[in-house]
Structures are given as structure tokens and as C-alpha cells.
């Protein structure tokens, strides 16, 4: 399960989020996980879909922010 992934605002837009996600997905492959679950801020849904994550369930509020549950099967 991935939680609280963030890039400092002052360095956003430099590809660090993509680099981090590629690393986490590649690392999970070495651990033979069955899948990766995450609770994503809803405005980032497309970002995670580009890595193969799929949404499930309905949006909900967490810490005052709209979130959606996502899952990546056998990375």
C-alpha cells in the first residue's frame, strides 16, 4: 500500500513524481507483490492511471480533500 506520496511544491513539474512512481513500482516487482493499493487525491487520478492504476469505489473525503481508491494489479 502506498500512502502520503508527495513532492515539495517548489520542485513540482520537474518529473520527480514520475521518477518516484517508477521506482516504487519497480521496487514492488522485486518483492513479488500481488498488487499495489493506494488512496489518491482525486485530482491526481489521471497521473496514477498513466502508470496502470485503476480506480474502484466512489470518491470520499479524507482530511478535507477528495480521494479515490486505486489499484495496480501485479506490477
Amino acid at each position: 500500500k502506498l500512502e502520503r506520496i508527495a513532492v515539495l511544491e517548489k520542485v513540482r513539474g520537474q518529473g520527480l513524481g514520475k521518477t518516484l512512481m517508477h521506482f516504487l513500482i519497480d521496487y514492488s516487482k522485486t518483492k513479488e507483490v500481488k498488487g499495489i493499493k493506494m488512496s489518491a487525491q482525486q485530482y491526481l487520478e489521471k497521473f496514477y492511471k498513466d502508470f496502470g492504476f485503476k480506480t474502484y469505489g466512489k470518491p470520499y473525503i479524507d482530511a478535507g480533500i477528495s480521494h479515490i481508491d486505486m489499484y495496480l494489479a501485479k506490477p
Side-chain angles (χ1 to χ4, degrees):
K1 182 176 180 184
L2 301 178
E3 295 185 32
R4 305 291 185 206
I5 298 170
V7 174
L8 289 172
E9 189 173 355
K10 66 182 179 180
V11 294
R12 290 181 189 161
Q14 298 179 24
L16 296 173
K18 288 181 182 179
T19 299
L20 180 59
M21 287 305 299
H22 283 296
F23 172 81
L24 292 170
I25 291 168
D26 289 345
Y27 179 78
S28 72
K29 290 176 184 177
T30 70
K31 300 300 178 186
E32 300 180 19
V33 300
K34 295 178 183 175
I36 301 171
K37 179 181 175 182
M38 68 182 316
S39 173
Q41 290 183 8
Q42 195 172 14
Y43 84 95
L44 290 168
E45 186 175 2
K46 183 187 178 323
F47 175 80
Y48 294 115
K49 281 186 173 184
D50 288 346
F51 291 97
F53 282 84
K54 299 198 181 316
T55 59
Y56 65 95
K58 295 181 180 180
Y60 55 93
I61 302 298
D62 183 9
I65 301 168
S66 183
H67 282 69
I68 188 78
D69 288 330
M70 302 189 82
Y71 186 78
L72 176 64
K74 187 98 175 137

